[in-house]
Amino acid sequence: GDSVTQTEGQVTVSESKSLIINCTYSTTSIAYPNLFWYVRYPGEGLQLLLKVITAGQKGSSRGFEATYNKETTSFHLQKASVQESDSAVYYCALGGNYAQGLTFGLGTRVSVFP
Amino acid sequence: NAGVIQTPRHKVTGKGQEATLWCEPISGHSAVFWYRQTIVQGLEFLTYFRNQAPIDDSGMPKERFSAQMPNQSHSTLKIQSTQPQDSAVYLCASSLARSSYEQYFGPGTRLTVL
């Protein structure tokens, strides 16, 4: 089967500090995985933050970056300097290269304090 | 663009009653997905329609759960004889049915079974 693992359930970080959220994936059914980071801000719905569909490529959005590493089956999310507005729940997700149901990690709640 | 619309936002049922959840996808999107979110299991894929046809229901519980898409403007998820373990947030998402897609999520329906 397919699975996505996010090792941190909750992260607390000071404003202007760096952030890294770990994500690893495993799949037995998808030949060319597509990887996604979704985010849910307080009071809002789940929305796409960034996606990468080709191994070795990097995606970026709103100051966040994630590199698709096929060798380590990882897709860690990083930001060099977080802001209070980055407080949210972040979900790593795995899909195929055509429309299909996504496999999500359990999510990482990020709290940024001033 | 109103986004994906889900009704009702909250539903409370008694054990053994039926619950019907509604989803209106974004106009022009030909793929509709249903997910369930709980604290313990996280976000789980349930089922998926493309051009109103059921494509993948591998995540649907084998009993009591059914989904339909009678026309391109709405889909329903029906749970018969609801049980307390069915309590969850049910999310609907829609997308274009092509590669490099993004799934747009609705706000969800919070189902509480007493």
Side-chain angles (χ1 to χ4, degrees), chain A residues 34 36 38 40 45-48 51 53 91 94-106, chain B residues 31 33 35 37 39-43 45 48 50 91 95-103 105-106:
Chain A
N34 291 182
F36 306 81
Y38 279 80
R40 178 180 281 138
L46 197 62
Q47 57 187 278
L48 181 67
K51 65 182 179 186
I53 62 172
Y91 296 90
L94 165 72
N97 56 3
Y98 52 91
Q100 66 181 80
L102 299 176
T103 300
F104 283 87
L106 289 179
Chain B
F33 306 82
Y35 295 85
Q37 184 169 27
I39 299 291
V40 174
Q41 299 293 333
L43 261 163
F45 165 73
Y48 154 47
R50 184 170 65 228
L91 292 168
S95 79
L96 297 171
R98 64 183 188 193
S99 61
S100 305
Y101 61 98
E102 172 181 352
Q103 293 187 21
F105 283 80

Side-chain angles (χ1 to χ4, degrees), chain B residues 2 8 10 17 23 51 55 57 61 63 66 69 86 91 95 104:
Chain B
H10 302 272
Q17 292 183 328
C23 170
N51 296 321
I55 301 298
D57 66 354
E63 298 179 348
S66 63
M69 190 161 186
D86 299 332
L91 292 168
S95 79
Y104 293 81

Side-chain angles (χ1 to χ4, degrees), chain B residues 11-74:
Chain B
K11 186 171 183 66
V12 179
T13 66
K15 182 179 174 181
Q17 292 183 328
E18 182 177 288
T20 300
L21 313 180
W22 292 70
C23 170
E24 181 179 331
I26 293 172
S27 178
H29 282 188
S30 52
V32 173
F33 306 82
W34 284 96
Y35 295 85
R36 174 171 64 181
Q37 184 169 27
T38 60
I39 299 291
V40 174
Q41 299 293 333
L43 261 163
E44 302 174 282
F45 165 73
L46 296 176
T47 189
Y48 154 47
F49 294 85
R50 184 170 65 228
N51 296 321
Q52 301 171 231
I55 301 298
D56 180 2
D57 66 354
S58 59
M60 288 280 272
K62 293 296 180 278
E63 298 179 348
R64 302 185 297 104
F65 282 66
S66 63
Q68 294 184 330
M69 190 161 186
N71 56 60
Q72 63 185 9
S73 64
H74 88 273

Side-chain angles (χ1 to χ4, degrees), chain A residues 23-94:
Chain A
C23 171
T24 56
Y25 68 91
S26 173
T27 178
T28 57
S29 62
I30 303 173
Y32 301 98
N34 291 182
L35 297 172
F36 306 81
W37 278 101
Y38 279 80
V39 59
R40 178 180 281 138
Y41 296 103
E44 298 185 18
L46 197 62
Q47 57 187 278
L48 181 67
L49 178 62
L50 59 85
K51 65 182 179 186
V52 180
I53 62 172
T54 304
Q57 298 294 310
K58 180 168 69 176
S60 61
S61 173
R62 305 181 202 178
F64 286 90
E65 295 182 339
T67 300
Y68 180 166
N69 189 320
K70 187 176 179 180
E71 285 67 39
T72 59
T73 62
S74 66
F75 190 54
H76 307 320
L77 183 68
Q78 304 181 72
K79 188 171 186 181
S81 176
V82 296
Q83 302 172 327
E84 224 176 320
S85 57
D86 294 323
S87 295
V89 183
Y90 294 81
Y91 296 90
C92 185
L94 165 72

